[in-house]
Structures are given as C-alpha cells and as structure tokens.
C-alpha cells in the first residue's frame, strides 16, 4: 500500500476574476433556531454565548480549509456580521443586488458568501441491557444542525450558488456499560460546527485529500525485489525491474508490472503516462484491482483542468 495525497477540485467554480471573498454572517439569533427540547430554560445570555461559540467554530473550520488550499488568492477573506432579524428562516430573504454591490464596492471584494441561517439541536439516547432494563448499556449525546449558505456576485440579482447542508455527530458517555472519562459538554457544539465549516470550505476551494494505491507483490522474485526497493525509497530501481518484467510470457505478471509502473508514474504526477501503463495492464489481464484503479485515475485526469483553473 502506498499512501499519498491528491489535489481534488472545489465543487464551486468561481469566475476567473473572483479573488477577494467576503463572508457575511446573516444568521438570526433566536430561540427558534434551537430544537424544541433545547429551548426550555434558555435565556438571551445563554443564547448569545452559544451563538458566539457556534459562529466562531463554524468560521474557523472554513478558514482552516481555505488557508491550507493551494488557491492562494482566497487565503485572506474578510469577515462581516449583519444579522437577519426575522425568525422564520425564510429562503427568499436573500441579499438584494444593491446590497451585494454596496458590500463589494465598500470592501473591494469580488464575491459575498453569506451564512443565511443555521439550526441546531442536542439530544441524548439510552440503550439498556435486555436482561436488566434498569442498567444503562450505552448513553450518548447527539448533536445535529442545518445550515444555508449563498454565494453572491456583484451585478447579479440572484445567488451564484446556494448550498444547504445537515450534519450530525454522536458523543458517547457510557459505552458497553463502561463510563467514559470524556464528558462532552459544549464541546459537542464546537466539534459539530467546526466539522460543518470544514466541509463547506472543501466545497469552495481545492484541497489535498489522502489517497492510497496498492502495489502488486506476490511470490514472484522480481516483484518481491522491486517492493524491497520501494520500501527503501528506491523507486527508480523498482521501476527498472517492473519494466524488465513486461517482456515475460506470463500475461498476469506483465499486467501486474504495468500496474505498478502506473502507480509510480502517478506518484510522479505523470497522469497521462500512468494512464497508458494502466491500459497496457488491462490489455494483458483484466484484474479487478486495475478496473477499480482505472476509474480512480480517470477521475483525476478529468479533474485536472478544473484544478489548474482553480489554483492559478
């Protein structure tokens, strides 16, 4: 197994001129954003404190992704607050064209990303032993939310992009009858909204994600020797061995050699050459691993041009 990272494109494709982003927090502060069971006994002070915790971690999640992205032009976004006063969370109460133009002119920005609202709830669940219904087997908290984001470009009366998301995290307190040392507290909200912000950040900008590829080893001496070289970081020597194996009479071994050569070339970011080696592997033997690899490599090649546009 070879572990490495691949750059994956953002879902949103901003126009080329967009460089300076403004994040505008419009989310209203009201009891109505909380699940009904959480509203009991909550006062305005608690509401504001929890909102501060939520917004700070949501934006931290977004910012951590943006600043780690190779799309350097987005590394310094501007943050603004202009909270909505409605409590109905109406989707049609979007920023007007005039409001977007004014923000962009004032802040010298190219796009406004607005958090329209969020909803949030906390719940807890219990499982009991079947033979002893009075004893708790599992006790865990559930934290869940919903968010609505809009992207606005100046001069346009409608959002350039709208994104709604829901997220849920579980935090055990008692697991298989054992009381855990960790007591979640408000950390459930901190982690939940950081996770949501992180996911939205990956929607906006290209990011590095972990990937892995399998190298054929087998009982063949040449394959084993080549793997010994890769373990020592001597990939050029391994590649030479795999290339020498392509003249063998055993079509399966030849396919495995071409597969390993494809992995090496992909690690070198030579995707077209890797694709050619994989075609040769499949031509010699339709191994299941190569069929799956073909799909993954095709996605990388398909995304390549989008990535180039997004990071330039």
């Amino acid at each position: 197994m070879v572990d490495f990272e691949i750059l994956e494109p953002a879902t949103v494709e901003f126009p080329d001129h967009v460089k300076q982003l403004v994040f505008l927090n419009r989310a209203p502060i009201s009891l109505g954003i909380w699940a009904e069971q959480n509203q009991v006994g909550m006062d305005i002070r608690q509401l504001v404190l929890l909102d501060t915790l939520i917004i700070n971690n949501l934006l931290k999640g977004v910012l951590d992704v943006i600043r780690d992205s190779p799309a350097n032009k987005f590394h310094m976004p501007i943050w603004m607050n202009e909270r909505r006063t409605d409590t109905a969370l109406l989707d049609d109460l979007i920023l007007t064209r005039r409001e977007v133009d004014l923000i962009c002119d004032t802040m010298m920005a190219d796009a406004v990303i607005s958090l329209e609202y969020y909803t949030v709830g906390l719940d807890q669940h219990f499982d009991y032993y079947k033979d002893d219904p009075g004893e708790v087997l599992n006790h865990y908290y559930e934290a869940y939310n919903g968010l609505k984001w809009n992207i606005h470009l100046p001069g346009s009366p409608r959002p350039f992009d709208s994104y709604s998301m829901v997220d849920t995290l579980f935090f055990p307190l008692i697991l298989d009858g054992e009381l855990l040392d960790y007591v979640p507290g408000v950390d459930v909200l901190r982690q939940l909204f950081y996770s949501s912000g992180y996911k939205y950040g990956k929607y906006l900008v290209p990011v590095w994600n972990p990937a892995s590829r399998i190298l054929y080893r087998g009982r063949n001496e040449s394959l084993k020797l080549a793997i010994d070289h890769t373990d020592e970081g001597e990939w050029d020597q391994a590649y030479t061995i795999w290339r020498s194996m392509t003249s063998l009479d055993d079509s399966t071994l030849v396919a495995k050699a071409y597969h390993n050569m494809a992995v090496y070339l992909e690690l070198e970011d030579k995707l077209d050459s890797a694709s050619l080696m994989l075609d040769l592997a499949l031509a010699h033997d339709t191994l299941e691993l190569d069929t799956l690899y073909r799909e993954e490599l095709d996605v990388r090649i398909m995304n390549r041009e989008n990535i180039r546009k997004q990071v330039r």
Side-chain angles (χ1 to χ4, degrees), residues 155-256:
S156 175
R158 305 298 298 174
F160 173 73
D161 182 83
S162 292
Y163 184 80
S164 298
M165 62 188 302
V166 294
D167 211 350
T168 303
L169 293 180
F170 296 94
F171 299 84
L173 189 63
I174 298 176
L175 194 60
D176 293 331
E178 295 291 331
L179 180 64
L180 304 181
D181 294 334
Y182 171 68
V183 179
V186 295
D187 197 43
V188 299
L189 295 175
R190 185 178 292 110
Q191 291 189 41
L192 174 66
F193 279 88
Y194 179 86
S195 172
S196 297
Y198 199 89
K199 289 176 183 176
Y200 188 59
K202 293 172 69 174
Y203 181 81
L204 296 174
V205 296
V207 294
W208 292 100
N209 282 321
S212 61
R213 299 288 183 254
I214 294 175
L215 290 173
Y216 283 113
R217 296 172 177 262
R219 290 172 290 184
N220 178 270
E221 291 300 321
S222 294
L223 279 179
K224 289 194 289 185
L225 178 59
I227 291 300
D228 288 340
H229 282 299
T230 63
D231 290 342
E232 296 297 324
E234 299 167 346
W235 283 85
D236 289 341
Q237 291 91 322
Y239 187 84
T240 300
I241 293 172
W242 294 325
R243 186 170 55 190
S244 69
M245 293 177 63
T246 60
S247 60
L248 297 175
D249 293 330
D250 187 327
S251 60
T252 299
L253 280 178
V254 171
K256 291 179 178 180

Side-chain angles (χ1 to χ4, degrees), residues 252-288:
T252 299
L253 280 178
V254 171
K256 291 179 178 180
Y258 277 125
H259 167 98
N260 288 359
M261 292 166 69
V263 171
Y264 167 80
L265 291 166
E266 184 186 11
L267 294 176
E268 294 292 307
D269 207 31
K270 299 176 180 178
L271 300 186
D272 293 324
S273 297
S275 180
L276 176 60
M277 293 300 107
L278 196 51
D279 285 341
L280 291 170
L282 288 166
H284 283 82
D285 198 336
T286 53
L287 300 172
E288 182 180 1

